[in-house]
Amino acid sequence: MVQFVSTVGTLISNQNRIRQNQEDFNLLTYRVSTGKKFQELKDYGANAVKVVDLRQDVTSRESYVRSIELTEIVTGAYNTALEGIIDGMQDLIDAADPLSTQDPNWAADNAVIADNLMLNLEANLNLDIGGRYLFAGTNYNSAPVKDLRQLSLYTTNDLPPTAGNTIEGANQIPQHTVDAGGTNTVESYHNSFTASGTIDANAWKQVEISVSDHQTITYGITATDDAFQNTVEALLRFKSATQSGLTEDQRKQFLSDARTIADTARTQLRQLQTTNGVVINELQDTKDLHTSFINNSQISLDGLTNVDPAAAATELSALQTLIQSSYAAISRQSQLSLVNFL
């Protein structure tokens, strides 16, 4: 009787061992096919919390990286547009310093140059990406600048000692007065302008982007900036020099004013580029930190969740041989005759 119990116990023990080996076999098969340690997060034990935290951090930082990359497209576009406007100011300075204005074609030729420079400025300030106008502040859906060629030219009443254009600040839309002391016509190059003293805070407003959990970056350049006010003023002064009915001294005065204002605008535009460059560098540095964290976290996650497929395959092969042997052994035990129990 004792021998019988012992044999039954051996059978049960072998069956349990085969069952455990089968579970190990299934796990190793999963590891070989997926390269992962476990299918269920709960099976990672104490490392489960680390796996969850790292995955959440990686997902969060990947979102920040995507936002930064979209913003980099915009800041890069700002830089390109500013460079084009700066080139235009240099062209104006060169054209406004002629050897002589006595050539019969000088006025007509330079009026064309002025119109082309205005078109260049308008195109750059009305730059849009995906229907979003970059220089419009938070008025994303509206082009900020009108057709500059339609602005009225200055008259001789606008020459010194008459006060020049006043640079607008705060939330007021830039405006300038044509024929000061005469009709005193108030105009603006900006599409938000409706009348003298027009206020539009959104036309001035910059944008904020969250680049990490506790860091935001303010960026954006608006068409209302001082640099563009002076750029338009320089263009208007230059084009005004091409109108008929001016004396040589009046023409030269307009050109001198245009050169001086264009030089100021060019300096201000370079300052905008510098400020934008700081934003570009900050975005890149933050993205690099996120990318480094993501890469390091992925290495840690791989260490926690991944297996060596070659090693798992070797274990699987050995376990398969062991299971086959166990089945053979239990088969022999189950076929024992009565003699074996006596």
Coordinates of all heavy atoms in Angstrom, one line a residue, residues 26-27 30-31 34-49 51-52 55 304-306:
N26 N 5.3 28.3 -22.7 CA 4.4 29.3 -23.3 C 5.0 30.7 -23.1 O 5.0 31.5 -24.0 CB 3.0 29.3 -22.7 CG 2.3 28.0 -23.0 OD1 2.6 27.4 -24.0 ND2 1.3 27.7 -22.2
L27 N 5.6 31.0 -21.9 CA 6.2 32.2 -21.6 C 7.5 32.4 -22.5 O 7.6 33.5 -23.1 CB 6.7 32.3 -20.2 CG 7.4 33.6 -19.8 CD1 6.5 34.8 -20.0 CD2 7.8 33.6 -18.3
Y30 N 6.4 33.2 -26.0 CA 6.0 34.6 -26.1 C 7.3 35.5 -26.2 O 7.3 36.5 -27.0 CB 5.2 35.0 -24.9 CG 4.8 36.5 -24.8 CD1 3.8 37.1 -25.6 CD2 5.6 37.3 -24.0 CE1 3.5 38.4 -25.5 CE2 5.3 38.7 -23.9 CZ 4.3 39.2 -24.7 OH 4.0 40.5 -24.6
R31 N 8.3 35.2 -25.4 CA 9.5 36.1 -25.4 C 10.2 36.0 -26.7 O 10.7 37.0 -27.2 CB 10.4 35.6 -24.2 CG 9.8 36.0 -22.9 CD 10.7 35.5 -21.7 NE 10.3 36.1 -20.4 CZ 10.8 35.8 -19.3 NH1 11.9 34.9 -19.2 NH2 10.3 36.3 -18.2
T34 N 8.1 38.0 -29.4 CA 7.8 39.4 -29.2 C 9.1 40.1 -28.7 O 9.2 41.4 -28.9 CB 6.7 39.6 -28.2 OG1 7.1 39.2 -26.9 CG2 5.4 38.9 -28.6
G35 N 10.0 39.4 -28.1 CA 11.2 40.1 -27.5 C 10.9 40.8 -26.2 O 11.7 41.4 -25.6
K36 N 9.7 40.6 -25.7 CA 9.2 41.1 -24.4 C 9.3 40.1 -23.3 O 9.0 38.9 -23.6 CB 7.9 41.8 -24.5 CG 7.7 42.9 -25.5 CD 8.6 44.1 -25.2 CE 8.4 45.2 -26.2 NZ 9.3 46.3 -25.8
K37 N 9.5 40.5 -22.1 CA 9.5 39.6 -21.0 C 8.1 39.0 -20.6 O 8.0 37.8 -20.5 CB 10.1 40.2 -19.7 CG 11.6 40.5 -19.8 CD 12.1 41.1 -18.5 CE 13.7 41.3 -18.6 NZ 14.2 41.9 -17.4
F38 N 7.2 39.9 -20.5 CA 5.8 39.5 -20.1 C 4.8 40.2 -20.9 O 5.0 41.3 -21.4 CB 5.6 39.8 -18.6 CG 6.6 39.2 -17.7 CD1 7.5 40.0 -17.0 CD2 6.6 37.8 -17.4 CE1 8.5 39.5 -16.2 CE2 7.5 37.3 -16.5 CZ 8.5 38.1 -15.9
Q39 N 3.6 39.5 -21.0 CA 2.5 40.1 -21.7 C 1.7 41.1 -20.8 O 1.2 42.1 -21.2 CB 1.6 39.0 -22.2 CG 0.5 39.5 -23.1 CD -0.3 38.4 -23.8 OE1 0.0 37.2 -23.5 NE2 -1.2 38.7 -24.7
E40 N 1.6 40.7 -19.5 CA 0.8 41.5 -18.6 C 1.8 42.3 -17.7 O 2.8 41.9 -17.2 CB 0.0 40.6 -17.6 CG -1.0 39.7 -18.3 CD -2.2 40.5 -18.9 OE1 -2.4 41.6 -18.4 OE2 -2.8 40.1 -19.9
L41 N 1.4 43.6 -17.5 CA 2.2 44.5 -16.7 C 2.4 44.1 -15.3 O 3.4 44.3 -14.7 CB 1.6 45.9 -16.8 CG 2.4 47.1 -16.1 CD1 3.7 47.2 -16.9 CD2 1.6 48.4 -16.2
K42 N 1.3 43.4 -14.7 CA 1.4 43.0 -13.4 C 2.5 42.0 -13.1 O 3.0 41.8 -12.0 CB 0.1 42.3 -13.0 CG -0.3 41.1 -13.8 CD -1.6 40.5 -13.4 CE -2.0 39.3 -14.2 NZ -3.3 38.7 -13.9
D43 N 2.9 41.3 -14.2 CA 4.0 40.3 -14.1 C 5.4 40.8 -13.9 O 6.3 40.1 -13.6 CB 4.0 39.3 -15.3 CG 2.7 38.5 -15.4 OD1 2.1 38.2 -14.3 OD2 2.2 38.2 -16.5
Y44 N 5.5 42.2 -14.0 CA 6.8 42.8 -13.8 C 7.1 43.1 -12.4 O 8.2 43.5 -12.0 CB 6.9 44.1 -14.6 CG 7.0 43.9 -16.1 CD1 5.9 43.9 -16.9 CD2 8.2 43.7 -16.7 CE1 6.0 43.7 -18.3 CE2 8.4 43.5 -18.1 CZ 7.2 43.5 -18.9 OH 7.3 43.3 -20.2
G45 N 6.1 42.8 -11.5 CA 6.4 42.9 -10.1 C 6.7 44.3 -9.7 O 6.0 45.3 -10.0
A46 N 7.8 44.5 -8.9 CA 8.2 45.8 -8.4 C 8.6 46.7 -9.5 O 8.6 48.0 -9.3 CB 9.4 45.6 -7.4
N47 N 8.9 46.2 -10.7 CA 9.3 47.1 -11.8 C 8.2 47.6 -12.5 O 8.3 48.5 -13.4 CB 10.2 46.3 -12.8 CG 11.6 46.1 -12.2 OD1 12.1 46.9 -11.5 ND2 12.2 44.9 -12.6
A48 N 6.9 47.2 -12.2 CA 5.8 47.6 -12.9 C 5.6 49.2 -12.8 O 5.3 49.8 -13.8 CB 4.5 46.9 -12.4
V49 N 5.8 49.7 -11.6 CA 5.7 51.2 -11.4 C 6.7 51.9 -12.3 O 6.4 52.9 -12.9 CB 5.9 51.5 -10.0 CG1 5.9 53.1 -9.8 CG2 4.8 50.9 -9.1
V51 N 8.0 50.9 -15.1 CA 7.7 50.8 -16.5 C 6.6 51.8 -16.8 O 6.6 52.5 -17.8 CB 7.2 49.4 -16.8 CG1 6.6 49.3 -18.2 CG2 8.3 48.4 -16.7
V52 N 5.6 51.9 -15.9 CA 4.5 52.9 -16.2 C 5.0 54.3 -16.2 O 4.6 55.1 -17.1 CB 3.4 52.7 -15.1 CG1 2.3 53.8 -15.2 CG2 2.7 51.4 -15.2
R55 N 7.1 55.1 -19.3 CA 6.3 55.2 -20.5 C 5.5 56.5 -20.5 O 5.4 57.1 -21.6 CB 5.3 54.0 -20.5 CG 6.0 52.7 -21.0 CD 5.0 51.5 -20.9 NE 5.6 50.3 -21.4 CZ 5.0 49.1 -21.3 NH1 3.8 49.0 -20.8 NH2 5.6 48.0 -21.7
L304 N 14.2 46.7 -18.7 CA 13.1 46.2 -17.9 C 12.2 45.2 -18.6 O 11.7 44.3 -18.0 CB 12.3 47.3 -17.3 CG 13.0 48.3 -16.3 CD1 12.1 49.5 -16.0 CD2 13.3 47.5 -15.0
T305 N 11.9 45.5 -19.8 CA 10.9 44.7 -20.5 C 11.3 43.8 -21.6 O 10.6 42.9 -22.0 CB 9.9 45.7 -21.2 OG1 10.5 46.5 -22.1 CG2 9.3 46.6 -20.1
N306 N 12.5 44.0 -22.2 CA 13.0 43.2 -23.3 C 13.8 42.1 -22.8 O 14.4 42.0 -21.8 CB 13.8 44.1 -24.3 CG 12.9 45.1 -25.0 OD1 11.7 45.2 -24.8 ND2 13.5 45.9 -25.9

